[in-house]
Amino acid sequence: MKNAETPVFKLVLFGAQSSLGSALIVELLSRQHEVIAVVDDLNRHAPRPGLHYKIGALGDANQAEQGAAGGSAVIALLSALAPGDLPAHRQMSEALVAGLARTTIRPLLLVGDFDVLDAPGKYSEAERGCVDQVVDLLQRSGLHWTLINEPGDFPGLGIEHFRNTAGTLEPQVAEPLRRLARVAAGMVDMLELNLHHGEHLNFVV
């Protein structure tokens, strides 16, 4: 039975079709939260209790608003939607901030290639400028935001992998599965406990 003191929310997830997206879905459902996964094709996904799918994207503010509708918090896996593309990260962040400004949603976790904030010398001036614009945009918004460095994805891990972590797995699959599951648990902890607003985090697991 769920502790009545634990807040229950409906999480809108952009980038749900990634391995980290699958880990987040399993972690959220295990804590009895609801999940709205924003995807590009409804036919590829089977319904599950507590998990809802809707068509959407982050092309502009209207799409972001429509995708987030009905939620109480948002996680956007920018690095899953546009791997290594910092200009796309900036554009999707702009759409999200503008779209969420039209809603009552305030909690927002952005997962992207934000290592540029830790090691700017490894990136071009244009790439640094993209992330600086994202940070400035968020700081001027009224959102309860957190930036999270992309934890290193492992393509091909689905919901069933994370639901059955006790099974026999090949070593090259078991390690990234455990790592992404721990990252997902940490992200959900942040939402439940209202931690790390306005911060930039790197999960070390």
Side-chain angles (χ1 to χ4, degrees):
M1 182 177 294
K2 190 170 181 64
N3 186 335
E5 296 180 356
T6 303
V8 177
F9 50 81
K10 186 176 289 187
L11 189 284
V12 177
L13 180 59
F14 293 91
Q17 297 170 92
S18 63
S19 295
L20 179 55
S22 295
L24 282 163
I25 289 171
V26 171
E27 184 66 29
L28 286 157
L29 294 180
S30 74
R31 303 193 196 191
Q32 299 181 31
H33 299 298
E34 290 189 60
V35 182
I36 301 173
V38 182
V39 298
D40 56 9
D41 183 357
L42 295 178
N43 295 322
R44 293 190 297 171
H45 305 280
R48 298 171 184 270
L51 174 59
H52 315 279
Y53 291 99
K54 67 161 62 173
I55 293 288
L58 291 174
D60 56 37
N62 290 332
Q63 284 188 331
E65 179 187 11
Q66 291 164 10
S72 53
V74 172
I75 295 178
L77 307 181
L78 305 181
S79 49
L81 295 168
D85 189 342
L86 289 173
H89 286 22
R90 185 199 67 233
Q91 292 166 1
M92 289 187 289
S93 298
E94 290 173 348
L96 260 176
V97 171
L100 293 181
R102 305 172 185 172
T103 75
T104 59
I105 301 170
R106 290 298 169 261
L108 171 64
L109 304 186
L110 287 180
V111 179
D113 300 318
F114 298 123
D115 180 60
V116 61
L117 295 170
D118 298 314
K122 293 165 50 180
Y123 296 83
S124 69
E125 182 177 351
E127 290 172 325
R128 294 194 299 270
C130 286
V131 176
D132 286 343
Q133 289 174 45
V134 171
V135 173
D136 180 65
L137 184 70
L138 291 168
Q139 288 176 336
R140 290 186 287 107
S141 75
L143 300 173
H144 303 160
W145 58 271
T146 305
L147 293 181
I148 300 172
N149 285 1
E150 197 279 321
D153 205 7
F154 187 91
L157 295 179
I159 291 174
E160 292 305 321
H161 289 98
F162 291 97
R163 290 186 62 200
N164 299 289
T165 55
T168 302
L169 297 170
E170 297 178 2
Q172 64 268 30
V173 174
E175 189 283 326
L177 188 147
R178 286 192 291 265
R179 173 170 49 81
L180 291 175
R182 290 196 294 268
V183 170
M187 291 172 66
V188 178
D189 285 344
M190 289 166 53
L191 288 173
E192 288 185 341
L193 300 173
N194 292 313
L195 300 175
H196 303 297
H197 293 169
E199 297 184 15
H200 166 226
L201 303 180
N202 181 42
F203 279 96
V204 179
V205 294

